[in-house]
Amino acid sequence: MSKEKQYYSEHPTFHVAVDSIIFGFDQGELKLLIHKRQFEPAKGEWSLFGGFVQKGESLDAAANRILFELTGLDKVYMEELQSYGEVERDPAGRVISVAYYALIPAKEFTEATSSQYGATWVGLKDLPPLIMDHSQMVEKGLRRLKRRAASQPIGFELLPREFTMPQLQALYEAIYQAELDKRNFRKKILAMDVLIKLDAKDKTSSRKGAFLYRFDQKKYRKLVEGGYNFTM
Amino acid sequence: MSKEKQYYSEHPTFHVAVDSIIFGFDQGELKLLIHKRQFEPAKGEWSLFGGFVQKGESLDAAANRILFELTGLDKVYMEELQSYGEVERDPAGRVISVAYYALIPAKEFTEATSSQYGATWVGLKDLPPLIMDHSQMVEKGLRRLKRRAASQPIGFELLPREFTMPQLQALYEAIYQAELDKRNFRKKILAMDVLIKLDAKDKTSSRKGAFLYRFDQKKYRKLVEGGYNFTM
DNA sequence: AAACTTAAGTGTAAGTATAACACTTATGTG
DNA sequence: CACATAAGTGTTATACTTACACTTAAGTTT
């Protein structure tokens, strides 16, 4: 008789799923990666990337595995968001779902790979209805993103390794849904002292070109540990 | 054949538990309510208040039921904190646990009821080792409490309905582990404009007595919705 | 090659919020 | 009636935040 049988056998068990809310930033817009559900019920309807936890697999491992299987994405910034345990949340049976929140630079998941995996980036304004409580999860994820952006320079997870000031500012503007003054923005960001200015320029969006920056991993980490508070 | 069988039967199921991190504030100290585990394995060891989710019961409902069964506490401020899903976290079998974070005015759970339920308030400095990953949960709960205290006047959940300025300040000092200037503290708190000053005084801690305050529920709610940021 | 267009880049001053600081007041006790 | 104790109160200096407009770089057009 297994230990589990011995102690806990009188208690019920549940299917446990994970669902990932994947944010990206591209062309000045915050986007969500979604796809059409690949299994019944509700097959073919818009859904977050989710699946069932397997035996012998931790929740975190399940979230990573499922993301990889469905998108080919690996080493993605992910953290647990919240569990959803309403009895009737899945009409096909009792399933407890743990929602994860993930940030990726949108470029890492291109048009090409998109179609291969049947996934799509959708602007947050143009979200179609999602199955079950997935829209609620997105709401919650967005709130977390906003809070995070305020307490850490987290936006960096969403940009390519080298980026320009105007790009960074556009990201914050998309997150906060507000216009920011570029002089004040630069001042604040540079005062954080986590950026390294490169010699190269990005000329894709202007003739003059904008200087590229990378961020200083060590200083960034220190800043985050120190509990920086970044208000706009 | 049930819907669930039909669609999800090939996936494994898991025991799901909830564990509550219950913070209280008494005598100038932040405290945690714990008890000795009432079932095997690890029966008799220090533990958070936890139990298994039942069939037909949401996670939130389970957290509330278990808290009530084990402490008699009802209508407590609770919110989900984080799920714990490591495969080996419970040595007696695979159990996924959803941790909840709860705040109560310590007076609502007195010495008398304590002994009746075998529960104890323990100062955060004097925490005994807790079973499994419960200490980790407490860590996480404490971090949440600190963040919350900064973004909302959440401390009110931890005080009796009527309280004095020195009490409120002591609470914040306990949460932040820092001394605050009482003039500046008063100024900031009063500037929030959520307190109602009463005529009565509390004389338990000084001859002069300190005025009692209640907080204005309506204004408080507005403030929280507006996303106030409260730094010390 | 000169004029034009476009986005990038820069500084300052006024206002607001924060932080530091010490004495007075009320009241029960000895 | 003096004493002890915690509650209560304002001001000033400093740092931070906000508002605001012109110059620069470089490719494109004439």
Side-chain angles (χ1 to χ4, degrees):
Chain A
M1 199 184 210
S2 79
K3 288 176 299 181
E4 184 155 5
K5 276 264 169 56
Q6 194 178 335
Y7 294 119
Y8 300 147
S9 54
E10 75 268 30
H11 301 291
T13 61
F14 304 89
H15 289 294
V16 178
V18 298
D19 287 297
S20 295
I21 299 143
I22 308 172
F23 289 112
F25 177 69
D26 194 29
Q27 298 178 295
E29 222 192 336
L30 259 184
K31 299 192 170 171
L32 186 70
L33 192 65
I34 56 176
H35 77 335
K36 292 192 168 165
R37 198 179 215 234
Q38 298 178 341
F39 50 87
E40 291 292 353
K43 185 170 176 173
E45 292 183 36
W46 289 111
S47 158
L48 297 174
F49 293 90
F52 288 94
V53 177
Q54 300 301 303
K55 266 194 151 54
E57 181 182 56
S58 73
L59 292 172
D60 289 352
N64 280 291
R65 171 182 57 77
I66 288 163
L67 194 61
F68 182 71
E69 286 174 7
L70 295 177
T71 66
L73 291 168
D74 204 359
K75 290 184 190 160
V76 159
Y77 176 83
M78 263 185 135
E79 67 179 48
E80 201 214 305
L81 185 61
Q82 159 114 59
S83 297
Y84 289 81
E86 289 304 313
V87 177
E88 301 289 349
R89 55 174 294 281
D90 187 328
R94 182 79 200 268
V95 180
I96 288 166
S97 172
V98 181
Y100 277 75
Y101 145 106
L103 303 178
I104 63 175
K107 302 287 181 197
E108 287 197 7
F109 194 79
T110 59
E111 296 286 317
T113 40
S114 276
S115 57
Q116 181 186 337
Y117 284 98
T120 325
W121 283 112
V122 188
L124 287 177
K125 316 276 153 156
D126 320 312
L127 273 192
L130 304 177
I131 59 164
M132 301 192 263
D133 48 9
H134 285 197
S135 300
Q136 223 180 304
M137 294 178 182
V138 173
E139 255 318 300
K140 171 95 184 171
L142 198 53
R143 281 203 301 278
R144 165 90 50 118
L145 178 59
K146 281 183 187 172
R147 265 207 316 279
R148 276 294 143 94
S151 67
Q152 296 173 20
I154 200 172
F156 295 123
E157 313 281 358
L158 291 162
L159 291 174
R161 215 172 64 253
E162 301 186 348
F163 52 87
T164 67
M165 274 290 170
Q167 277 168 33
L168 185 60
Q169 182 173 343
L171 170 60
Y172 274 87
E173 289 179 334
I175 292 174
Y176 289 127
Q177 292 294 306
E179 302 224 326
L180 304 173
D181 179 279
K182 61 182 171 174
R183 283 164 292 189
N184 294 338
F185 181 81
R186 278 180 132 87
K187 226 182 297 172
K188 226 175 225 177
I189 292 285
L190 292 174
M192 286 166 38
D193 190 34
V194 288
L195 289 190
I196 298 168
K197 186 174 184 174
L198 307 178
D199 283 335
K201 279 186 165 187
D202 172 300
K203 296 205 173 173
T204 54
S205 69
S206 79
R207 310 190 203 292
K208 185 179 179 180
F211 279 102
L212 288 165
Y213 291 81
R214 208 158 3 107
F215 73 96
D216 186 321
Q217 301 254 1
K218 269 186 227 162
K219 288 184 179 172
Y220 173 80
R221 258 169 242 295
K222 261 192 207 163
L223 189 72
V224 170
E225 280 163 27
Y228 189 80
N229 197 348
F230 183 81
T231 55
M232 279 282 121
Chain B
M1 201 184 209
S2 79
K3 286 176 300 181
E4 183 155 3
K5 276 263 168 58
Q6 195 178 335
Y7 294 121
Y8 301 148
S9 55
E10 73 269 30
H11 301 291
T13 61
F14 304 88
H15 288 294
V16 178
V18 298
D19 288 297
S20 296
I21 300 142
I22 308 171
F23 289 112
F25 176 69
D26 194 27
Q27 297 178 296
E29 221 192 336
L30 259 185
K31 299 192 170 170
L32 187 70
L33 192 64
I34 56 176
H35 77 336
K36 293 193 170 163
R37 198 179 215 234
Q38 299 178 340
F39 50 86
E40 292 291 353
K43 186 171 176 173
E45 294 182 36
W46 290 111
S47 158
L48 297 174
F49 293 89
F52 289 95
V53 177
Q54 299 301 303
K55 266 195 152 56
E57 181 183 55
S58 72
L59 292 172
D60 289 353
N64 281 291
R65 171 183 57 78
I66 288 163
L67 194 61
F68 182 70
E69 286 174 7
L70 295 178
T71 67
L73 291 167
D74 205 358
K75 290 182 192 160
V76 158
Y77 176 84
M78 266 185 132
E79 66 179 48
E80 201 213 306
L81 185 62
Q82 160 117 58
S83 297
Y84 290 81
E86 290 304 314
V87 177
E88 301 288 349
R89 58 174 291 282
D90 187 328
R94 182 76 200 269
V95 179
I96 288 167
S97 173
V98 181
Y100 277 75
Y101 145 104
L103 303 178
I104 63 175
K107 302 287 182 193
E108 287 198 7
F109 195 78
T110 58
E111 296 288 317
T113 41
S114 275
S115 57
Q116 180 187 337
Y117 285 98
T120 326
W121 283 113
V122 188
L124 287 176
K125 315 277 153 150
D126 320 311
L127 272 193
L130 303 178
I131 58 164
M132 301 192 261
D133 47 10
H134 286 197
S135 299
Q136 224 179 302
M137 294 178 182
V138 173
E139 256 318 301
K140 171 94 185 171
L142 199 52
R143 281 203 301 277
R144 165 88 50 115
L145 178 59
K146 281 184 187 171
R147 265 206 317 278
R148 275 294 145 95
S151 67
Q152 295 173 19
I154 200 171
F156 296 122
E157 313 282 356
L158 290 163
L159 292 174
R161 214 172 64 254
E162 301 186 348
F163 53 86
T164 67
M165 274 290 170
Q167 276 169 32
L168 185 60
Q169 182 173 343
L171 170 59
Y172 274 88
E173 289 179 335
I175 292 174
Y176 290 127
Q177 292 295 308
E179 303 225 325
L180 304 173
D181 180 277
K182 60 181 170 172
R183 282 164 294 189
N184 294 337
F185 181 80
R186 278 178 131 89
K187 228 181 297 172
K188 226 175 226 178
I189 292 284
L190 291 174
M192 286 165 40
D193 189 34
V194 288
L195 289 190
I196 298 168
K197 187 176 184 176
L198 307 178
D199 283 335
K201 278 185 166 187
D202 173 301
K203 295 204 173 172
T204 54
S205 69
S206 80
R207 312 192 202 290
K208 183 179 179 180
F211 279 102
L212 288 165
Y213 290 82
R214 209 162 357 113
F215 73 95
D216 186 322
Q217 300 254 1
K218 269 185 227 161
K219 288 184 181 170
Y220 173 80
R221 259 169 241 296
K222 260 191 209 162
L223 189 72
V224 171
E225 281 162 27
Y228 190 80
N229 198 348
F230 185 82
T231 55
M232 279 285 122

